[in-house]
Amino acid sequence: MKKILLVVAVAVLYVLHQDIWFWRSPYLVFGFIPIGLFYHGCFSVAAALLMWLLVTYAWPSHLEGEVEEADTREERRA
Amino acid sequence: MIPAIVVFLYLAAVLYIGIFAFRRASSKAEAEDYFLASRSLGPFVFLFSLFGTNMTAFAILGSSGHAFTNGIVTFGLMASSSGLIIPLTIFLIGTRVWALGKKHGFMTPVQMFRDRWECSHIGTVIFVVQAVLLVPYIIIGIMGGGTTLYTISNGLVPFWFGGAIVAMVVMSYVFFGGMRGTAWVNTFQTVLFLCFGAIALIVIGVGMGGFRSAATAIQASPMASLLTRERISPYYFFSYTFIPLSAIAFPHILIFCLTARKMAQFKKTVIFYPICILAIWLPCVFLGVMANRVTDVPEIRAKQEARRVLATQGRTMEPEKRDELREQSAGDDVIMLLLHRYAPLWLAGLLGAGIMAAVMASDSQILALSTMFTEDVFAFYGGKARFGEHVQVQTGRLFIILITIFAYAVALRAPETIFELAIQYAFSGYAALSPLLVAALFWKGSTKWGALAVTVWSASTVVAVAILQSVVPAPAPGPATILWAPGGVEVLSRTPGGTAVFGFMPVVPMVIVSTLLMIVVSLLTKKPDKATLAKYFGGR
């Protein structure tokens, strides 16, 4: 379930990248940042948060286990 | 001359770091130590060197230049899409490649492909395609170094001499320091150009008397479209999200993934990658747009005038005249012009060093080519078994000298635009090669013939697009030239910025067909042995 939610979150963020809603708006946030640029700045922060979620809840720790196992086998052989 | 002196001091510091890394290296000159820093990089160096490896001169010069002409769309097009896709591919693919490299001793992607699909010469074909697509980067790095030194010194350091200095410095620290030297230098450079964006933004902002009046003036002028994404179609914008798939397929990025000491090192890289992109690209894109309001720099006014003539009279001009105007209106040096105008001399020097740091990203490509040549060709065809590991490392070093001399010689003779174009094609080519990695790591049913089909397709389409764009001249800004429209459906057209297939960039059909070829050809051909599959997928 956790993994499905994360896959959905990635898909949603990908869709949110295609922000056609601000396409033609020259509105300035805080009087100087164009809204489209501000949106994509926030999008980058959201991407970092999503990466944190992936690292926290979907980290492929089995790969680390496999490497450690292989290292132990190698040491024993040596 | 002061900025040039600061840049020379920076180059000396970089050289020192490389030589220091050489003294820390293993005295036994083992290949794994030289080419992969004994797979021992810590989290900080791993994050910054991997990020720095992926950032070229384009991150500072190209991004501001593109934004100067096209507006804020540059950030969404190239930066925020990379901030999502690249860390995702590092998370999904980089970690798996690292684990396989640790378990089976792989040092290059081709070694893994050869083992995974039980092939030999098909691996060599993949090596050739990867190597050919990588060479333009090295050439453009040397050209960028020559141009930057020439501009910073106000023409006192000629292009040929600046290029030679940059080539010598990069060659020296890669030659001596190998991966350790390259990673340390990249870390130093990344810290420098991460600071660049914020400092440049503050200095230029203060110089312009704040950005509020400039932004409001642009908003009220006919240039207001620069604050929107009107100049780019949504199809083109969507297409661009396929380009960052190329990052993980680049051999120098994948080889870098093998250098981490532990898999945990990837965590910080994955999380902070979008933030690092934001820190560099947002100020550069914003400054590129704001440069359009700078009225007291004659060079910027000349660029705007060339852009205006191109837009109003471009349709009736000869293609050569259009290309000339396009070159005149290019904004790759706007950020340097802004620094010249607003930064004190010593600070312009420091910021120039930041630009040099981005320009000199060709170090990891040179090392990657050397690693690939010595492992995928020299060692694979018996050189290592015959002459030993010491000779293998020396061969790698000799290769570094030869490739640098070759790149410098080409950089002196060829026009820069050719290689800029080649890099554009290389991004699409590597994106089309990315299904190789996905199939090798996640699909038991993939075969070597599927891999060959993907490689041949990727190489052929890169060549086809290059030929098309050299035969059919780019139209003036405005509607595209339709080349093929059976039954009124626009299939192929030549746009002012490149080529479009059904309105999308060529990278979209390239990646889709590549994926389909991998699936169809693999389903029709013999799979690797059960023992090989068990090695990669266990009992799954």
Side-chain angles (χ1 to χ4, degrees):
Chain A
M1 186 62 187
K2 217 187 289 172
K3 283 199 176 162
I4 293 172
L5 281 176
L6 286 169
V7 171
V8 171
V10 171
V12 167
L13 206 61
Y14 183 75
V15 172
L16 287 176
H17 184 264
Q18 319 299 314
D19 61 320
I20 42 168
W21 42 92
F22 289 134
W23 207 266
R24 288 173 186 275
S25 171
Y27 175 74
L28 297 170
V29 181
F30 306 125
F32 71 100
I33 309 174
I35 181 84
L37 190 60
F38 182 76
Y39 175 87
H40 277 276
C42 295
F43 178 91
S44 302
V45 176
L49 286 173
L50 177 66
M51 294 306 139
W52 176 79
L53 285 174
L54 285 172
V55 161
T56 309
Y57 297 108
W59 187 245
S61 41
H62 65 278
L63 295 173
E64 283 169 314
E66 284 172 21
V67 169
E68 274 167 29
E69 209 177 288
D71 282 349
T72 320
R73 242 181 287 140
E74 192 94 335
E75 275 166 25
R76 262 190 226 142
R77 228 178 284 154
Chain B
M1 197 59 194
I2 292 172
I5 293 169
V6 177
V7 171
F8 277 114
L9 286 174
Y10 158 76
L11 291 174
V14 158
L15 200 55
Y16 176 76
I17 294 170
I19 306 289
F20 184 70
F22 171 66
R23 287 160 64 186
R24 282 282 300 271
S26 156
S27 56
K28 284 187 285 181
E30 289 165 348
E32 197 170 77
D33 187 67
Y34 182 73
F35 293 117
L36 294 183
S38 296
R39 302 182 199 263
S40 65
L41 296 187
F44 179 74
V45 175
F46 185 67
L47 162 65
F48 285 117
S49 54
L50 183 65
F51 179 73
T53 298
N54 217 3
M55 287 293 120
T56 61
F58 196 84
I60 291 178
L61 302 177
S63 61
S64 47
H66 192 274
F68 175 73
T69 313
N70 297 290
I72 59 150
V73 70
T74 307
F75 189 81
L77 205 60
M78 300 169 184
S80 62
S81 57
S82 297
L84 175 65
I85 306 290
I86 295 178
L88 201 59
T89 54
I90 294 173
F91 174 77
L92 292 170
I93 295 172
T95 49
R96 278 160 179 84
V97 169
W98 174 86
L100 289 168
K102 268 274 199 202
K103 274 199 308 196
H104 307 303
F106 302 137
M107 291 170 68
T108 68
V110 168
Q111 277 180 336
M112 186 182 79
F113 294 144
R114 276 180 171 144
D115 186 66
R116 165 67 182 83
W117 287 312
E118 299 169 348
C119 60
S120 53
H121 301 311
I122 290 177
T124 311
V125 174
I126 299 173
F127 160 81
V128 171
V129 172
Q130 286 185 331
V132 169
L133 289 175
L134 208 55
V135 169
Y137 279 87
I138 299 167
I139 297 167
I140 206 102
I142 292 171
M143 285 175 164
T147 311
T148 309
L149 272 178
Y150 176 82
T151 314
I152 286 174
S153 67
N154 278 330
L156 282 174
V157 179
F159 173 81
W160 67 268
F161 188 56
I165 290 171
V166 170
M168 280 296 290
V169 170
V170 172
M171 187 183 78
S172 302
Y173 71 73
V174 177
F175 180 91
F176 287 111
M179 178 56 87
R180 193 173 284 104
T182 305
W184 287 0
V185 168
N186 266 318
T187 303
F188 172 61
Q189 289 175 328
T190 303
V191 171
L192 207 65
F193 66 70
L194 275 174
C195 300
F196 171 90
I199 298 174
L201 192 72
I202 293 166
V203 170
I204 295 168
V206 170
M208 287 176 74
F211 293 117
R212 198 177 278 259
S213 56
T216 317
I218 292 176
Q219 194 185 31
S221 75
M223 290 188 292
S225 62
L226 291 170
L227 306 176
T228 72
R229 273 163 288 167
E230 276 178 50
R231 296 186 181 208
I232 300 282
S233 84
Y235 288 112
Y236 188 86
F237 192 77
F238 166 76
S239 305
Y240 234 98
T241 57
F242 281 64
I243 294 283
L245 289 173
S246 60
I248 198 70
F250 277 118
H252 56 283
I253 301 294
L254 215 57
I255 290 172
F256 237 101
C257 287
L258 299 168
T259 60
R261 186 166 54 228
K262 292 178 185 166
M263 208 172 86
Q265 255 76 306
F266 282 86
K267 289 183 179 176
K268 284 194 177 66
T269 306
V270 168
I271 295 170
F272 288 108
Y273 202 97
I275 302 295
C276 289
I277 287 202
L278 177 73
I280 293 179
W281 283 71
L282 193 83
C284 292
V285 168
F286 184 70
L287 288 174
V289 176
M290 290 301 126
N292 283 287
R293 272 308 293 173
V294 176
T295 49
D296 54 353
V297 177
E299 292 92 334
I300 291 181
R301 291 191 72 93
K303 287 174 193 299
Q304 288 172 318
E305 179 57 18
R307 193 199 298 164
R308 193 191 60 76
V309 175
L310 191 61
T312 51
Q313 300 162 32
R315 296 247 140 221
T316 55
M317 278 176 189
E318 290 294 309
E320 294 79 26
K321 179 69 184 161
R322 270 206 303 262
D323 288 345
E324 199 183 303
L325 278 174
R326 223 173 248 130
E327 209 161 296
Q328 281 171 19
S329 65
D332 282 6
D333 56 347
V334 285
I335 210 148
M336 308 254 271
L337 294 169
L338 291 177
L339 289 175
H340 267 301
R341 170 69 184 83
Y342 295 113
L345 277 180
W346 63 272
L347 190 60
L350 270 183
L351 295 173
I355 293 173
M356 283 302 288
V359 165
M360 284 165 66
S362 57
D363 50 4
S364 30
Q365 285 100 337
I366 293 177
L367 184 67
L369 266 184
S370 166
T371 312
M372 288 157 66
F373 175 74
T374 54
E375 287 294 325
D376 300 339
V377 178
F378 181 83
F380 184 76
Y381 288 106
K384 186 176 174 182
R386 207 165 150 200
F387 302 108
E389 207 160 325
H390 180 72
V391 173
Q392 186 193 356
V393 173
Q394 298 314 325
T395 307
R397 286 191 160 127
L398 180 67
F399 186 86
I400 286 164
I401 297 175
L402 293 177
I403 192 76
T404 312
I405 292 172
F406 169 76
Y408 177 65
V410 177
L412 286 186
R413 280 168 180 79
E416 193 165 351
T417 43
I418 288 181
F419 293 99
E420 280 172 358
L421 281 175
I423 285 178
Q424 282 178 26
Y425 305 140
F427 274 109
S428 302
Y430 276 111
L433 285 174
S434 63
L436 284 182
L437 284 162
V438 178
L441 298 170
F442 296 99
W443 186 34
K444 272 185 191 179
S446 61
T447 70
K448 61 182 176 185
W449 299 110
L452 181 65
V454 167
T455 311
V456 172
W457 162 256
S458 305
S460 321
T461 44
V462 166
V463 173
V465 174
I467 292 172
L468 179 88
Q469 290 190 188
S470 63
V471 172
V472 184
T481 308
I482 296 160
L483 301 174
W484 187 35
V489 180
E490 284 179 27
V491 177
L492 188 66
S493 43
R494 180 76 166 97
T495 63
T499 305
V501 182
F502 291 109
F504 296 101
M505 284 168 73
V507 69
V508 176
M510 281 168 77
V511 173
I512 292 171
V513 174
S514 213
T515 309
L516 290 174
L517 277 172
M518 175 55 92
I519 294 169
V520 173
V521 177
S522 292
L523 287 174
L524 296 173
T525 49
K526 189 177 170 283
K527 284 153 195 52
D529 277 350
K530 280 186 181 160
T532 304
L533 292 179
K535 196 171 161 183
Y536 285 84
F537 299 96
R540 279 182 287 156

